[in-house]
Each structure stands twice: as C-alpha cells, then as structure tokens.
Amino acid sequence: MPTRDRDLIREVCAANYIDIISGSMSPDHVHLLLSIPPSISLAKAIQYIKVKSSRKLLQEFEPLRKRYWGRHFWGRGYFC
C-alpha cells in the first residue's frame, strides 16, 4: 500500500503543477520538500494533497473506510 500512497501524492502534485523535490513516507507521517507555484498558497497545496489522496484511498479500500468513518484520515496540521 505505501507505493499506492506515493503514486496518489505524485498524481495530485502533478495535476497542480507542484514539483516534489524529495520526500519520504513512514507508517505514521510523510515528509515532502515541494516546489509550489506562486499562484498556489502553501495551505491550498497541502489541502489538495490531503483531501484528494484521502478521498481516493477511502473509496478504494473498504477497511480504511470502516476504520476512519466520521474521523479525519490525515492529521489536522502540517509543519513548514
């Protein structure tokens, strides 16, 4: 499943002209170094990544949907 997570984040970034300079994924968090166009705010870029990737994962994997029903898939915050 981690490969699928990476692919989802790459798709979302490519669709919004965000370049991934480097990144790493752990079971409980994600580190990304991004190059974001000036027309997109940092908060909007993070929102795109979190919303679109969580929506696809929850639609595709039934166990995740049951586990996170009514809860947040991603943590509420981020660090820059």
Side-chain angles (χ1 to χ4, degrees), residues 12-80:
V12 171
C13 288
N16 293 292
Y17 306 105
I18 298 170
D19 294 326
I20 300 174
I21 308 231
S22 70
S24 64
M25 297 185 81
S26 298
D28 60 347
H29 63 277
V30 176
H31 288 267
L32 294 172
L33 179 59
L34 304 172
S35 176
I36 302 170
S39 60
I40 299 175
S41 70
L42 178 62
K44 214 32 132 170
I46 300 300
Q47 179 185 8
Y48 290 150
I49 293 169
K50 285 183 172 185
V51 169
K52 292 181 181 180
S53 63
S54 66
R55 186 174 296 144
K56 284 185 178 183
L57 286 170
L58 292 174
Q59 286 175 350
E60 194 169 321
F61 298 102
E62 182 71 27
L64 290 178
R65 197 172 338 154
K66 289 181 181 178
R67 181 175 180 184
Y68 290 101
W69 179 258
R71 297 177 18 200
H72 294 284
F73 183 78
W74 290 103
R76 294 183 66 209
Y78 59 92
F79 178 78
C80 306

Side-chain angles (χ1 to χ4, degrees), residues 4-16 20 56:
R4 180 69 177 140
D5 295 343
R6 285 187 176 106
D7 292 341
L8 284 172
I9 291 173
R10 285 182 187 135
E11 288 175 23
V12 171
C13 288
N16 293 292
I20 300 174
K56 284 185 178 183

